[in-house]
Amino acid sequence: MKKLHLATVWLGGCSGCHISFLDLDEWLTDLAGHVELVYSPLADAKEFPPDVDVALVEGAVANTDHLRLIRQVRERARLLLCFGDCALTGNVASLRNPLGAPTELLERVYMSGADRRAPLPPDTGGVVPQLLEQVLPVHAVVAVDAYLPGCPPPAERIHAILEPLLASELSQLAEHEVGEVG
Ligand code: SF4
């Protein structure tokens, strides 16, 4: 039987949500029997692929790379889950918002707030993504299908949400395959 295509995405977050995902321990072995991990910081895919069934998104939308990626995720994934509080609300990632626009922020961090006046990051012609004016939760940019709260969400909660969701997706996939054969 075809496996579900699962993706995990890392935007503006500390990777703690992904570490919690790894805390699923032995259930990851069961999971591997039913899903193919087609995109993830835990895998080596460079481009977000088409035809993803479920995408878990960690982190807020903080720069132009995040913006491009989350729009691509929304176009290509059938179900998009906000994975942790940074994706849900901005959380830690959005603590910079009250400090002002990116130019003021960079000036404060690299110049006025620094012991040594390091130069500002150079304009790299787009190689380094530009900061957005404000850090945004994922739902402010694209439609979200489900929310998985926590900082990070504990492994038990990830399991409790993913297991029935994936079971339902797998049964739909099986029905679709039977329909195709018939
Ligand atoms: Fe890190 Fe918490 Fe944000 Fe997850 S929700 S990326 S653990 S700060």
Side-chain angles (χ1 to χ4, degrees):
M1 191 174 86
K2 186 180 170 239
K3 289 182 172 183
L4 283 177
H5 287 180
L6 176 68
T8 76
V9 178
W10 185 10
L11 302 179
C14 73
S15 87
C17 295
H18 274 84
I19 299 296
S20 206
F21 183 80
L22 292 178
D23 283 342
L24 287 165
D25 294 333
E26 65 271 13
W27 191 66
L28 289 173
T29 317
D30 295 346
L31 191 63
H34 300 295
V35 306
E36 186 180 344
L37 191 63
V38 291
Y39 181 90
S40 174
L42 308 169
D44 196 29
K46 302 285 186 262
E47 290 292 324
F48 194 85
D51 297 327
V52 171
D53 294 299
V54 178
L56 298 179
V57 178
E58 171 190 317
V61 183
N63 65 37
T64 48
D65 273 6
H66 299 154
L67 197 55
R68 177 193 55 76
L69 179 57
I70 194 62
R71 287 177 174 152
Q72 200 170 52
V73 172
R74 184 62 282 179
E75 280 168 16
R76 298 181 175 184
R78 219 157 40 72
L79 290 178
L80 188 159
L81 276 71
C82 275
F83 180 34
D85 286 347
C86 288
L88 264 78
T89 66
N91 193 33
V92 176
S94 64
L95 289 176
R96 79 156 161 94
N97 286 350
L99 298 178
T103 42
E104 294 166 48
L105 176 72
L106 291 174
E107 201 282 332
R108 183 155 171 178
V109 170
Y110 283 88
M111 308 295 281
S112 60
D115 294 334
R116 290 170 46 198
R117 293 173 72 83
L120 289 174
D123 181 355
T124 53
V127 175
V128 175
Q130 297 296 298
L131 296 176
L132 301 183
E133 288 293 305
Q134 294 274 287
V135 175
L136 301 168
V138 170
H139 71 81
V141 181
V142 296
V144 170
D145 298 301
Y147 296 91
L148 185 46
C151 179
E156 299 74 26
R157 188 175 304 154
I158 301 171
H159 185 187
I161 289 177
L162 272 193
E163 190 171 47
L165 176 79
L166 294 178
S168 145
E169 289 296 305
L170 280 165
S171 72
Q172 283 181 35
L173 196 62
E175 279 173 24
H176 181 65
E177 284 185 352
V178 169
E180 277 181 349
V181 172

